[in-house]
Amino acid sequence: MMPCICTTCGVQYAAQTQKPEYCTVCCDDRQYVNWQGQTWTTLAQMQQYYRNNIQEVEPNVYQIQTTPRFAIGQKAHLIQTAAGNVLWDCVTLLDQETIEKINQLGGIAAIAISHPHYFATMVNWSQAFGGVPVYLHALDKEWVMQPDSSLHFWEGARKPLLDYNLQLIKCGGHFPGASVLYWPNGADGKGVLFSGDTIQVAMDRQSVSFMYSYPNLIPLNKPSILGIQEAVAKVSFDRIYGAFEAHIPENARQALDKSITRYLHIYE
């Protein structure tokens, strides 16, 4: 039987003789089970109805998003560097058109995932580009539903990638191992933070938010927000690309600092 994909969260499970009874990721209180009950699809079925839009958002950065919207509307980014390209986060759909387009852009040398809601079909992505390493924080290992030799579990606070011009930073909060990707050469050398929804860009594009669960509206506690603040305290950046539609094009550091102050004021 082909590996099953949960239609609500987009995470793929290892091949089994029958469909899983439920999605472990969606049963967690950070996510939710489909109101109509648990439903599954496969990558082959998805390839019939969905496609990926790959769009350049600034020099050497491409956004990858599936249309029509699937699961939680995941978005990935491809960052081009002299040492090779990094795929940050993962969308579930992978098809030949996507593979060919990314190969035209230089392929993928490494994959890094912010947190379990973006595990998606990360094993397929790795295999499609030669079995490249997929970097996940070890604190989120329990959420891997499709084990594979390509998965590398890093530990600690930071992990340099490729030529060390890219760096993973563990922030915690949304998940114990929730991480962001720091690219100091981005934004014309002013620095870019790819934040997933560990640091969620708000729709005003002038502030960010911190939540334990976004769909269930469970706020993040004060110690976790302080942990995120400390994790990125010494990082210089002017732009943030978030998990979904919005990004902060400039003055992102100021927006982050202001948002943290606002949150901490609420907890006083």
Side-chain angles (χ1 to χ4, degrees), residues 49-64:
Y49 303 105
Y50 297 87
R51 65 181 298 273
N52 286 329
N53 289 325
I54 302 177
Q55 177 185 3
E56 185 177 29
V57 293
E58 71 169 84
N60 299 315
V61 179
Y62 289 81
Q63 172 184 294
I64 306 169

Side-chain angles (χ1 to χ4, degrees), residues 22-167:
Y22 59 86
C23 173
T24 302
V25 177
C26 287
C27 287
D28 177 67
D29 58 9
R30 281 161 287 212
Q31 187 53 17
Y32 62 93
V33 177
N34 190 311
W35 293 359
Q36 285 72 47
Q38 180 65 56
T39 55
W40 303 94
T41 187
T42 65
L43 196 51
Q45 291 172 334
M46 285 190 65
Q47 290 167 350
Q48 299 179 49
Y49 303 105
Y50 297 87
R51 65 181 298 273
N52 286 329
N53 289 325
I54 302 177
Q55 177 185 3
E56 185 177 29
V57 293
E58 71 169 84
N60 299 315
V61 179
Y62 289 81
Q63 172 184 294
I64 306 169
Q65 199 157 23
T66 301
T67 183
R69 177 187 171 97
F70 179 74
I72 63 173
Q74 288 95 330
K75 180 174 67 177
H77 287 93
L78 184 75
I79 302 102
Q80 296 174 311
T81 82
N85 298 347
V86 171
L87 180 70
W88 168 247
D89 275 336
C90 194
V91 297
T92 304
L93 177 65
L94 180 64
D95 57 14
Q96 192 58 37
E97 180 183 357
T98 301
I99 294 169
E100 291 175 358
K101 175 63 174 177
I102 290 178
N103 278 331
Q104 292 170 9
L105 297 172
I108 295 173
I111 299 170
I113 309 291
S114 63
H115 70 289
H117 293 153
Y118 279 78
F119 285 179
T121 53
M122 57 186 175
V123 172
N124 299 68
W125 279 82
S126 171
Q127 294 171 347
F129 294 96
V132 299
V134 181
Y135 294 100
L136 317 170
H137 200 280
L139 291 176
D140 292 338
K141 186 175 183 178
E142 67 177 290
W143 298 101
V144 172
M145 301 300 154
Q146 187 178 18
D148 190 75
S149 60
S150 65
L151 306 183
H152 295 255
F153 297 97
W154 63 281
E155 299 180 345
R158 298 199 177 198
K159 169 71 177 176
L161 292 180
L162 301 181
D163 62 355
Y164 292 75
N165 280 324
L166 289 166
Q167 191 173 73

Side-chain angles (χ1 to χ4, degrees), residues 124-255:
N124 299 68
W125 279 82
S126 171
Q127 294 171 347
F129 294 96
V132 299
V134 181
Y135 294 100
L136 317 170
H137 200 280
L139 291 176
D140 292 338
K141 186 175 183 178
E142 67 177 290
W143 298 101
V144 172
M145 301 300 154
Q146 187 178 18
D148 190 75
S149 60
S150 65
L151 306 183
H152 295 255
F153 297 97
W154 63 281
E155 299 180 345
R158 298 199 177 198
K159 169 71 177 176
L161 292 180
L162 301 181
D163 62 355
Y164 292 75
N165 280 324
L166 289 166
Q167 191 173 73
L168 295 170
I169 303 173
K170 182 187 77 70
C171 293
H174 185 42
F175 273 83
S179 305
V180 298
L181 178 65
Y182 176 50
W183 183 36
N185 293 342
D188 297 321
K190 296 178 182 178
V192 171
L193 206 63
F194 296 89
S195 66
D197 53 11
T198 303
I199 300 171
Q200 177 71 284
V201 176
M203 291 307 292
D204 63 6
R205 302 206 307 169
Q206 300 178 46
S207 63
V208 299
S209 183
F210 311 94
M211 297 286 280
Y212 177 76
S213 170
Y214 290 94
N216 299 322
L217 303 178
I218 305 173
L220 202 59
N221 59 37
K222 182 177 179 179
S224 295
I225 294 174
L226 290 172
I228 294 172
Q229 181 182 40
E230 181 180 0
V232 298
K234 297 180 180 179
V235 174
S236 177
F237 57 90
D238 191 54
R239 187 170 298 154
I240 294 179
Y241 288 106
F244 303 107
E245 290 80 7
H247 75 286
I248 300 178
E250 59 185 359
N251 300 320
R253 162 53 78 179
Q254 294 92 319

